[in-house]
Amino acid sequence: MAAGDHHLRLGSYLGDVSALSFLPSSPRPLLLAGTGSELLVYDVDAARLVASFKVFDGVRVHGIQPRGLPNCSSGSPPADGLTVAAFGERRAKLLRLRVDADDDGGVVGVRLELEQRLPGFDHWVLDACFLEVDGLLAIGLSDNSVALWDLTEHVFVTRVNSPEKCLLYSMRMWGDSVKSLLVASGTILNEILIWKLVPRTLSSSLLCTDEVEAPAVENRENVYFSDNRYMAVHIGRLKEHEGSIFRISWSSDGSKFMSVSDDRSARMWMLSCQPKNFTNQAANIDNVDIIPKLTLFGHSARIWDCYISDSIVITAGEDCTCCIWGMDGKLIKMFKEHIGRGLWRCLYDPSSLVLITAGFDSAIKVHHLCNSSFHDILEEKVVPDDLKYESEVFEISSPIVSGQYGPLDSKSEYVRCLHFVQENVLYVATNNGYLHLADLSDTNDVRWTEVIQVTEKAPIICVDVMTVHSDSLYKEDIVALGDGHGNVTIVHLSSGNLEPKVDLSFTWSAEKDRQLLGIYWCKSLECSHIFTADPRGVLKLWNIRNVLYSNAHALTTSQEVSLVALFESPFGARIMCLDVSLQDEILIAGDKKGNILAFPFHKTLASHDSSGAQQKIPFCDRFKGAHGISTVTSVHITTSTSDDAQIHTTGGDGCICFFKYGRYVNNVEFVGMRQLKDLGTIQSIYADHVSDTQLIGTYAIGFTSSDFVIWDLGNDAKMVQISCGGWRRPYSYYLGTVPEYQNCFAFVKDHSIHVRRHWAPAQDKKLLPQVLHTQFHGREVHSLCFIDPASYSHPEKSTYLWIATGCEDGTVRLTGYSASNAGRWCSSKMLGEHVGGSAVRDTCFITKTYTLLDKSCNSSGSSGNILVENEETTFLLISVGSKQVLTTWILQPRIAENRQVCSGGLDLDSKQSSECSDNGDSAVTFQWLSTHMPPKLTTNRRKTGHVKQNFEEGNSSAQPNLAIMDQMENDWRYLSVTAFLLKHPTTKLTVCFAVVACSDATVILRALLLPSRLWFDVALLVPQASASPVLVLRHIVDASSACSGDDVGNGDRYIIVSGSTDGTITLWDLTDTIHGFMQLVSETQPHMVIDCQKRPKTGRGSQGGRRRWRSLASNSVKKGSKQTLLPTENDLNASCVAAESSHEISELEENEVITTEDTMSSTHSCDVSEVQPMQTFSGVHQSGVNCLNVSEMDRACPTTGMSSYCIISGGDDQAVQCIVFTLGSPQQSCSMNKASLNSPANGALTILSQHAVPSAHGSAVKGIWTDGVWAFSSGLDQRIRCWKMDPSGKFMEHSHVIISVPEPETLDVYHDRGRGKYHIAVAGRGMQMVEFSPLEDDSMEVARI
């Protein structure tokens, strides 16, 4: 094996960050991070990874301690490098880092050299401390002992055990010499022990234990240092914590320390005297008291790390929050920007005010405490004078509203609307019709200007402002006011260096009393037209150009505002937001009930002479429930060069939805969605000028509970959070070019206007990037699959490999890996989330689409069905998981003019939220396609036998597919999925056949009809013996017999292979079932009469359309006012299918659906066919089959000439099994056979050979893959093993490597035939790539066997 070890090369690890430390450098410290077995070096200022090094072999880096850090914090590292101690588990190493800098002080590169390798310890290393005075390194161990290592002689001096022998969760040491060394140990018994090392010559009264003679690591007993033996002396025992001590942190002077615990508390302790005063005095040690100073509660879960300085305390916990506390115990700030299982580490640099956090999600995030999120609350002494930014919190009150107290009525004066136009200009509208302008330049002397009072003192209901900048000093504000009497007032104000001046104002009646609820400017129409909205969903367009730009002194009655057009919503709900694109000639509006409407908007409507007769414009398309039942809060149209206009909307459901509008087909189609769990409602999206057409780099503005939040979408970080009482209060905000440093927010509370303004010159401070390391899943990864580079736009030029992963938290991510020499993870973007966050258990990427040619379409004259690979392939990604959720995404390569073409008929633009790109590489994009879930059942669940009995008795009250669904509990989950695509030659329909295995031991064949997105239940795969849950599924598409044309009965074969928890491997033949379904679909054309699901569910009130189940064979489908009967012919005697659909119907019909949905309106029941297994191999593994892979062998069967296949599997019994076989003719598969591994031939297939390795891994085998030449397996022993296979199925271990992924769950391999490499990806708690390059002689040897 040793000869082949060099063929396996470890790539980078993407997982939790377990260690952080600053490396002294100039002008700002470099950041050292430990992740897996690697040590990463980052330039924080440039947000750049400088270097990465592998430190250990399969051992995680738990701690990093640079030498001389306290004395070198402001200077540069020495020329000969800086020594760094890195430790993990039972190992520790001393490394020398050499930093290469350019003339400007920038970091060019970092070199790492191994300086000393310490011998292995018998307990875990918890801390390391350089004792500079004595030239020693103190190593703290988990058995509550300290070992001293001589840095010069490279030997251990001694090892001192604490008299309190116990196991520790944490230890932290402080001091620069043995005499000053203090040790704080956190035990598993909820205690903190404080002790130190003292010379043996001190009074024996200090020692309460027997002579301490713990042997050194190298068995060097009775070793003396300075002619004195060192012993442990206890200073104190602290029992205040009620849980295990996870972390301890000393202050810089050693006078106090922090401890955090399993009890969710953080406690600060203070020594009664300075440590330097009792270094050698026994009496002083006796008199030392440890005083509890503070107890901090604020985390909702365990606290993992802490930091303490002279001014602040920082804690990081399992709840993914980082808390900043004052020394008085007051919580200064809490923020949550990581995801998953928690924050492992926090690090703070007082000189630059940089806070670093890292955790399970692999992200390293940078926070600057001069940022607007912290500056207004931190103590002044924390922030240096040269870094102080202007941040203000103050209250103002309108002169008219001032003094108003007590209960309010309809005639009371109070603030109704606020509107910022600049950071120091705020418009205030009141209940009695006043519009005021507040100049906030001087917070101590706010200048109020009464702009206007609307007629009849009507309350101002709505306000919108259009700002026109003539130059940098002069601007104009066009203010639109809508009052309670239905009148619209337009006010034209101009302002320069002087006070604002009203140049023009005019009013007209737009609606009846109390019917004017909204007024909207549109930037694309400038200020020549304005929209008004009423409660019934009617939108009016008004032309005000003639009045606005006329001479104010020469106005006549003929110069009236003209009504240009009416846009009426079919839903009858109030329009809340809109946007117009003149280039696309489209108006998109969102209403209060979550619907999206599209109206044609011809350019003539916005022309100068659009004052003719009003037009009533009908809608051209609608999208019901775009945001569920929540209000649509904003709409934005982005014009592209393709045939589709891009649209994104925000809503009260906390989602950002992406749509496209086809210019030529005039329809709105959902293409993607991003849900922000931290925001209850999103009000709008703010984008800077650089990335106006991209979601990355933009900000979401919204509310969570009662707080106003600015969320950075690019870095997935919360930038601003202000407590204001929620979005129902009058509020307004204004953002500058850098929202982190330039933001204003005002809200009304208790008759006062509360303003929170942070406005710093953006050019004075460079914006610190928020994320240094790629963010990944925050929980365990259960599945992964490579995205075949053949799907990329330019596979020959691509240097990235893309991997789809499914996680315990219900998310699916697309992660890119640079396959170049760098071997780094380039980016990771979330594709989407399963409904309700249900865990993702398996993923499947479909790389091929086959076209099924029947006899009538076979030009070659062959009588059999012929399976050919379709050149225009649709690439699908399928994920399954808990709650029986099955989600499908469509992946398509980009082609010219930024467009995508789908062979299935879906024409999709590439702009959507889940796009993954790095350094301009945009070869891969995804969009949501469909989600399948079982329907909600109101009747009591029944067992399988009862369900089957009901169907045999003809119970027509059941739903068509209750035979499957009634037996599935809410907590049941899908465990595995496999799928393939078939295209019908005449109908041009593409069908995705997906086989899913459920935890209730059922295996179901489902079909997804494209492009209509219809789901059908096709068959139930029934095991022969007692049912056991299936853990893994694979498929075989065999077209070899079809190509021969010799046997009339031969044709394509569709075989499903499964591995169960009882160690059984089963094969099913689905050929007849699939052929019958394809014929039935071509005859009935269900996509012509049934609508598809429009958008995915989110679990937060966004239902994504209602779903109805129909029988494909005999049910009638109502659409609109027509009733169409599907053909009753059914060539499948044992199979019926049920379709899931969402109907666009009238409001009356929708109400009928709501009242009848729970009673299952379908009155026709139709059973689902059952497929018996063609072959069963029992006893393959002694326990569950965890992983399984199927591959076609390079050589055909020597006797029959047919293709041979191999099944390789791994199980809990640590064994790897391989079975090589050939498939028999389709007629033979009709008989069911049960075989053991000793049966060479069983009719349906012929076993050619079998081979097993009983103890392939030291623990359960979790992942396996083969291509018939090489095989790769991974197990819980953190090993990847490479196996060399011969055509007979025998295999032997070629090499192995230790990986950094703890508890690996899944494995997948991509074979790059062009470069002759295998890329092995393994995931569990994180993900890692391994490359394998077989030698030429190895490949030739396999070929010769």
Side-chain angles (χ1 to χ4, degrees):
M1 289 192 300
D5 285 347
H6 65 278
H7 296 315
L8 282 169
R9 185 172 71 90
L10 280 173
S12 59
Y13 169 75
L14 184 64
D16 52 343
V17 178
S18 52
L20 290 175
S21 180
F22 282 118
L23 181 70
S25 181
S26 179
R28 180 171 296 166
L30 296 177
L31 177 66
L32 303 180
T35 174
S37 301
E38 293 181 275
L39 180 65
L40 309 179
V41 184
Y42 279 96
D43 185 345
V44 178
D45 192 20
R48 180 173 62 93
L49 177 64
V50 180
S52 64
F53 308 99
K54 181 183 177 183
V55 179
F56 298 109
D57 188 10
V59 175
R60 301 168 65 78
V61 179
H62 289 157
I64 306 168
Q65 181 61 51
R67 185 176 185 180
L69 181 60
N71 300 326
C72 303
S73 59
S74 59
S76 301
D80 60 344
L82 186 70
T83 300
V84 175
F87 54 89
E89 297 186 7
R90 295 180 174 88
R91 303 187 184 277
K93 289 183 179 181
L94 294 178
L95 312 170
R96 183 163 293 273
L97 281 173
R98 304 180 189 271
V99 180
D100 300 326
D102 54 21
D103 297 335
D104 299 331
V107 179
V108 176
V110 175
R111 293 171 292 163
L112 180 69
E113 301 172 0
L114 177 61
E115 187 173 299
Q116 301 176 36
R117 178 185 286 110
L118 277 66
F121 295 93
D122 54 355
H123 287 81
W124 279 41
V125 179
L126 299 180
D127 193 20
C129 180
F130 285 96
L131 308 178
E132 296 294 339
V133 175
D134 303 320
L136 299 175
L137 174 67
I139 302 293
L141 302 174
S142 61
D143 64 342
N144 204 13
S145 66
V146 173
L148 299 179
W149 173 267
D150 193 320
L151 296 173
T152 304
E153 300 296 332
H154 300 179
V155 294
F156 276 108
V157 176
T158 187
R159 177 171 172 178
V160 181
N161 283 353
S162 168
E164 187 75 22
K165 295 182 179 180
C166 62
L167 294 179
L168 307 181
Y169 272 142
S170 61
M171 176 188 284
R172 185 57 63 91
M173 297 178 288
W174 177 91
D176 58 358
S177 65
V178 177
K179 295 180 180 180
S180 63
L181 183 65
L182 291 175
V183 182
S185 304
T187 73
I188 62 175
L189 303 177
N190 309 341
E191 297 178 343
I192 302 175
L193 305 177
I194 309 298
W195 55 284
K196 72 184 311 313
L197 276 64
V198 298
R200 185 65 170 170
T201 56
L202 288 180
S203 172
S204 61
S205 63
L206 296 176
L207 304 176
C208 57
T209 64
D210 297 332
E211 183 179 359
V212 178
E213 292 190 50
V217 177
E218 297 180 333
N219 296 324
R220 297 171 55 92
E221 298 186 10
N222 302 323
V223 177
Y224 292 87
F225 177 75
S226 301
D227 298 328
N228 292 307
R229 176 109 20 118
Y230 285 89
M231 297 183 177
V233 175
H234 274 225
I235 299 176
R237 182 192 301 268
L238 310 175
K239 299 182 179 181
E240 280 74 4
H241 278 291
E242 297 179 0
S244 300
I245 314 301
F246 290 139
R247 194 75 168 175
I248 299 173
S249 178
W250 287 94
S251 63
S252 59
D253 60 358
S255 62
K256 51 184 174 292
F257 64 92
M258 286 291 302
S259 61
V260 294
S261 169
D262 192 18
D263 61 5
R264 306 180 183 182
S265 71
R267 298 176 186 267
M268 184 171 70
W269 315 84
M270 185 167 293
L271 303 182
S272 59
C273 61
Q274 292 294 328
K276 62 183 180 180
N277 296 333
F278 57 87
T279 54
N280 276 320
Q281 301 297 325
N284 288 342
I285 295 177
D286 285 333
N287 296 328
V288 173
D289 292 328
I290 303 174
I291 306 169
K293 187 69 175 178
L294 286 175
T295 301
L296 309 175
F297 286 96
H299 289 272
S300 60
R302 294 176 289 185
I303 307 178
W304 294 124
D305 200 8
C306 59
Y307 169 87
I308 183 172
S309 70
D310 294 334
S311 55
I312 60 173
V313 171
I314 301 173
T315 57
E318 190 180 28
D319 56 359
C320 293
T321 62
C322 182
C323 296
I324 301 177
W325 312 80
M327 299 306 290
D328 57 354
K330 180 181 178 181
L331 178 63
I332 297 176
K333 189 67 178 180
M334 175 189 290
F335 56 91
K336 181 179 180 180
E337 297 177 4
H338 290 262
I339 58 176
R341 293 205 177 273
L343 282 176
W344 293 155
R345 294 292 176 259
C346 62
L347 183 65
Y348 180 63
D349 180 25
S351 61
S352 58
L353 303 180
V354 172
L355 172 65
I356 310 290
T357 58
F360 197 101
D361 61 357
S362 180
I364 302 175
K365 298 201 174 185
V366 181
H367 315 273
H368 202 290
L369 299 196
C370 293
N371 177 303
S372 62
S373 302
F374 305 96
H375 172 76
D376 58 315
I377 313 175
L378 286 177
E379 300 176 70
E380 292 185 1
K381 60 182 178 181
V382 178
V383 184
D385 293 336
D386 58 343
L387 292 177
K388 287 185 177 180
Y389 294 158
E390 186 65 24
S391 185
E392 304 157 298
V393 178
F394 55 94
E395 296 182 20
I396 60 175
S397 181
S398 171
I400 299 179
V401 179
S402 179
Q404 297 282 341
Y405 298 101
L408 301 177
D409 56 29
S410 60
K411 296 183 180 180
S412 300
E413 180 68 326
Y414 56 90
V415 176
R416 274 186 169 269
C417 303
L418 300 176
H419 200 291
F420 267 115
V421 292
Q422 284 183 342
E423 71 275 12
N424 56 358
V425 178
L426 177 67
Y427 285 99
V428 180
T430 68
N431 187 58
N432 287 342
Y434 286 96
L435 177 66
H436 294 273
L437 186 148
D439 187 348
L440 308 180
S441 301
D442 186 358
T443 58
N444 296 322
D445 183 17
V446 177
R447 293 185 299 171
W448 290 90
T449 303
E450 181 180 327
V451 178
I452 197 174
Q453 183 182 19
V454 300
T455 58
E456 303 177 6
K457 295 185 179 182
I460 297 178
I461 305 299
C462 46
V463 176
D464 200 6
V465 182
M466 173 79 74
T467 301
V468 180
H469 292 273
S470 301
D471 52 44
S472 59
L473 299 177
Y474 184 84
K475 71 178 184 67
E476 299 177 354
D477 290 340
I478 315 296
V479 184
L481 307 173
D483 61 39
H485 292 171
N487 299 321
V488 177
T489 301
I490 303 296
V491 183
H492 184 187
L493 292 91
S494 60
S495 62
N497 296 327
L498 303 177
E499 294 185 357
K501 175 185 176 183
V502 177
D503 295 333
L504 175 68
S505 65
F506 55 93
T507 303
W508 78 93
S509 177
E511 297 288 349
K512 298 179 180 179
D513 284 0
R514 300 184 180 181
Q515 297 299 303
L516 178 59
L517 299 183
I519 187 165
Y520 312 103
W521 294 107
C522 188
K523 290 184 178 180
S524 59
L525 303 180
E526 298 178 345
C527 52
S528 61
H529 293 74
I530 194 168
F531 292 91
T532 59
D534 69 1
R536 300 177 303 277
V538 177
L539 195 65
K540 296 180 180 180
L541 174 64
W542 303 87
N543 185 352
I544 63 172
R545 176 185 298 272
N546 295 335
V547 185
L548 185 63
Y549 293 104
S550 62
N551 189 342
H553 301 287
L555 287 177
T556 63
T557 56
S558 61
Q559 292 175 320
E560 296 178 352
V561 177
S562 58
L563 178 61
V564 178
L566 280 81
F567 306 88
E568 186 172 354
S569 167
F571 300 109
R574 171 190 168 189
I575 302 297
M576 301 297 295
C577 54
L578 59 89
D579 195 11
V580 173
S581 173
L582 291 178
Q583 178 178 338
D584 301 311
E585 297 187 337
I586 183 66
L587 182 151
I588 304 294
D591 67 18
K592 194 173 183 179
K593 294 184 178 180
N595 307 308
I596 298 295
L597 296 146
F599 295 91
F601 195 94
H602 198 271
K603 294 180 180 179
T604 56
L605 296 176
S607 61
H608 293 187
D609 56 351
S610 60
S611 58
Q614 68 182 39
Q615 305 178 40
K616 187 174 182 180
I617 300 177
F619 71 94
C620 58
D621 197 16
R622 60 182 179 176
F623 195 100
K624 183 176 178 59
H627 287 272
I629 58 176
S630 303
T631 301
V632 183
T633 55
S634 71
V635 175
H636 180 71
I637 304 175
T638 302
T639 301
S640 65
T641 57
S642 64
D643 295 336
D644 302 319
Q646 309 304 314
I647 305 165
H648 73 251
T649 64
T650 62
D653 57 349
C655 295
I656 306 170
C657 293
F658 298 86
F659 303 85
K660 68 174 185 180
Y661 175 78
R663 296 187 178 95
Y664 302 112
V665 295
N666 294 330
N667 71 330
V668 177
E669 183 177 350
F670 177 90
V671 296
M673 180 176 64
R674 179 170 181 180
Q675 182 178 0
L676 299 181
K677 294 182 179 180
D678 294 85
L679 295 182
T681 176
I682 303 177
Q683 296 298 316
S684 63
I685 299 295
Y686 175 85
D688 56 24
H689 300 289
V690 177
S691 57
D692 186 48
T693 61
Q694 300 181 13
L695 180 61
I696 299 176
T698 58
Y699 302 84
I701 315 299
F703 293 86
T704 173
S705 184
S706 60
D707 296 342
F708 172 78
V709 175
I710 301 178
W711 189 269
D712 186 349
L713 292 171
N715 295 315
D716 200 22
K718 186 187 301 177
M719 304 310 304
V720 175
Q721 183 171 0
I722 304 170
S723 179
C724 63
W727 58 270
R728 296 184 183 275
R729 299 177 183 269
Y731 72 92
S732 181
Y733 65 89
Y734 182 77
L735 305 181
T737 55
V738 185
E740 290 89 337
Y741 300 124
Q742 298 177 334
N743 56 80
C744 304
F745 180 72
F747 64 96
V748 177
K749 181 181 179 182
D750 299 331
H751 304 286
S752 297
I753 302 173
H754 298 252
V755 181
R756 194 263 195 193
R757 180 172 61 185
H758 178 82
W759 205 265
Q763 64 275 12
D764 291 348
K765 181 65 181 178
K766 180 181 177 181
L767 176 64
L768 281 176
Q770 287 289 308
V771 180
L772 295 183
H773 197 237
T774 302
Q775 188 168 24
F776 194 50
H777 293 288
R779 292 183 179 269
E780 292 79 4
V781 177
H782 294 304
S783 63
L784 66 83
C785 60
F786 276 95
I787 305 302
D788 193 339
S791 63
Y792 302 171
S793 56
H794 301 286
E796 68 283 352
K797 298 180 181 179
S798 177
T799 59
Y800 297 128
L801 290 175
W802 298 92
I803 301 173
T805 53
C807 180
E808 177 70 23
D809 61 3
T811 59
V812 178
R813 298 183 75 93
L814 184 67
T815 305
Y817 178 82
S818 175
S820 61
N821 293 331
R824 304 299 307 175
W825 299 101
C826 59
S827 66
S828 180
K829 296 292 182 180
M830 189 171 73
L831 298 184
E833 182 181 18
H834 276 208
V835 178
S838 55
V840 179
R841 306 299 303 185
D842 196 16
T843 55
C844 173
F845 180 66
I846 306 175
T847 60
K848 295 180 181 180
T849 301
Y850 297 96
T851 299
L852 184 66
L853 299 181
D854 57 19
K855 300 178 183 180
S856 61
C857 300
N858 185 10
S859 59
S860 62
S862 175
S863 57
N865 292 327
I866 296 183
L867 191 70
V868 297
E869 186 174 345
N870 184 20
E871 295 181 357
E872 296 181 354
T873 301
T874 299
F875 300 99
L876 296 183
L877 175 66
I878 297 178
S879 63
V880 297
S882 300
K883 307 297 182 183
Q884 300 165 278
V885 177
L886 190 157
T887 305
T888 308
W889 284 273
I890 186 166
L891 179 151
Q892 297 169 321
R894 293 191 174 195
I895 58 176
E897 296 184 358
N898 197 35
R899 292 195 55 205
Q900 297 171 298
V901 176
C902 173
S903 61
L906 296 176
D907 189 8
L908 307 173
D909 193 89
S910 60
K911 174 71 174 69
Q912 37 81 30
S913 65
S914 56
E915 177 181 336
C916 286
S917 61
D918 184 74
N919 296 329
D921 183 7
S922 55
V924 177
T925 59
F926 271 99
Q927 80 166 53
W928 173 85
L929 182 64
S930 179
T931 297
H932 179 279
M933 289 185 65
K936 295 181 179 180
L937 303 178
T938 57
T939 57
N940 293 330
R941 304 277 180 178
R942 289 164 291 186
K943 295 183 178 181
T944 308
H946 296 164
V947 174
K948 187 174 181 180
Q949 181 180 358
N950 288 339
F951 271 84
E952 292 175 352
E953 294 173 356
N955 186 356
S956 61
S957 63
Q959 196 180 2
N961 68 332
L962 283 184
I964 300 173
M965 293 304 176
D966 256 4
Q967 52 182 311
M968 296 185 176
E969 299 291 343
N970 288 333
D971 58 346
W972 287 356
R973 59 193 180 276
Y974 290 143
L975 300 177
S976 185
V977 63
T978 187
F980 51 90
L981 283 163
L982 287 180
K983 186 175 182 179
H984 198 279
T986 57
T987 62
K988 303 300 181 182
L989 293 176
T990 301
V991 180
C992 173
F993 289 97
V995 181
V996 290
C998 188
S999 58
D1000 66 341
T1002 59
V1003 182
I1004 308 167
L1005 172 63
R1006 289 197 168 96
L1008 172 62
L1009 193 62
L1010 299 177
S1012 58
R1013 310 183 193 183
L1014 295 176
W1015 281 101
F1016 299 91
D1017 287 341
V1018 181
L1020 179 65
L1021 280 60
V1022 180
Q1024 178 186 2
S1026 59
S1028 297
V1030 172
L1031 297 177
V1032 59
L1033 289 169
R1034 294 295 183 265
H1035 70 271
I1036 301 173
V1037 178
D1038 181 24
S1040 59
S1041 58
C1043 298
S1044 63
D1046 297 333
D1047 190 347
V1048 175
N1050 284 355
D1052 51 291
R1053 303 285 299 280
Y1054 308 96
I1055 309 298
I1056 299 299
V1057 185
S1058 69
S1060 306
T1061 56
D1062 60 356
T1064 300
I1065 294 179
T1066 308
L1067 285 78
W1068 281 278
D1069 190 346
L1070 303 181
T1071 305
D1072 293 340
T1073 303
I1074 290 176
H1075 286 171
F1077 179 83
M1078 295 295 286
Q1079 181 179 356
L1080 186 61
V1081 168
S1082 64
E1083 294 174 354
T1084 59
Q1085 300 285 313
H1087 60 285
M1088 302 299 294
V1089 291
I1090 305 178
D1091 273 334
C1092 65
Q1093 184 185 13
K1094 296 298 184 180
R1095 57 151 284 179
K1097 288 186 177 182
T1098 63
R1100 295 178 62 180
S1102 299
Q1103 299 304 312
R1106 300 190 178 276
R1107 301 179 302 153
R1108 303 285 298 279
W1109 291 83
R1110 300 288 185 179
S1111 169
L1112 183 61
S1114 59
N1115 282 358
S1116 62
V1117 180
K1118 179 184 290 187
K1119 185 176 183 181
S1121 60
K1122 295 173 58 179
Q1123 185 171 359
T1124 306
L1125 292 177
L1126 292 173
T1128 58
E1129 295 85 357
N1130 189 351
D1131 294 337
L1132 295 177
N1133 296 327
S1135 175
C1136 281
V1137 292
E1140 177 186 12
S1141 62
S1142 303
H1143 301 276
E1144 289 191 10
I1145 55 179
S1146 65
E1147 198 68 29
L1148 178 61
E1149 290 171 331
E1150 185 71 19
N1151 293 334
E1152 292 175 355
V1153 171
I1154 294 174
T1155 57
T1156 61
E1157 185 178 17
D1158 291 337
T1159 60
M1160 308 304 177
S1161 61
S1162 178
T1163 59
H1164 297 274
S1165 64
C1166 186
D1167 201 1
V1168 177
S1169 66
E1170 295 183 354
V1171 179
Q1172 300 294 330
M1174 64 175 289
Q1175 198 81 50
T1176 299
F1177 299 102
S1178 60
V1180 179
H1181 290 274
Q1182 297 178 10
S1183 54
V1185 181
N1186 294 328
C1187 51
L1188 180 148
N1189 192 260
V1190 181
S1191 175
E1192 184 176 0
M1193 304 295 287
D1194 286 346
R1195 291 188 177 183
C1197 177
T1199 57
T1200 63
M1202 301 179 64
S1203 297
S1204 60
Y1205 297 88
C1206 72
I1207 299 176
I1208 188 168
S1209 61
D1212 285 334
D1213 57 359
Q1214 307 175 14
V1216 171
Q1217 297 273 357
C1218 180
I1219 306 172
V1220 180
F1221 63 94
T1222 60
L1223 293 172
S1225 63
Q1227 289 83 355
Q1228 290 175 307
S1229 65
C1230 297
S1231 60
M1232 181 185 66
N1233 295 281
K1234 181 177 180 180
S1236 65
L1237 286 178
N1238 297 321
S1239 302
N1242 295 283
L1245 57 83
T1246 301
I1247 299 177
L1248 302 180
S1249 64
Q1250 55 199 42
H1251 183 65
V1253 178
S1255 298
H1257 284 265
S1259 187
V1261 182
K1262 303 297 288 186
I1264 201 162
W1265 181 93
T1266 185
D1267 61 354
V1269 179
W1270 296 95
F1272 304 92
S1273 62
S1274 65
L1276 293 180
D1277 56 359
Q1278 286 188 239
R1279 265 71 172 172
I1280 290 182
R1281 301 190 184 273
C1282 174
W1283 309 87
K1284 183 187 295 185
M1285 302 185 65
D1286 62 20
S1288 65
K1290 294 183 179 180
F1291 54 95
M1292 61 179 296
E1293 185 175 350
H1294 178 269
S1295 59
H1296 75 273
V1297 68
I1298 302 175
I1299 57 176
S1300 298
V1301 180
E1303 304 172 11
E1305 287 283 334
T1306 180
L1307 173 144
D1308 195 20
V1309 180
Y1310 166 66
H1311 184 194
D1312 188 349
R1313 290 179 170 81
R1315 298 181 175 90
K1317 290 185 178 181
Y1318 290 85
H1319 298 275
I1320 307 113
V1322 61
R1325 288 183 54 184
M1327 182 168 61
Q1328 190 170 14
M1329 187 77 75
V1330 179
E1331 293 183 3
F1332 175 70
S1333 302
L1335 294 178
E1336 260 184 56
D1337 54 352
D1338 291 334
S1339 302
M1340 293 175 62
E1341 182 181 349
V1342 174
R1344 288 195 299 266
I1345 295 177

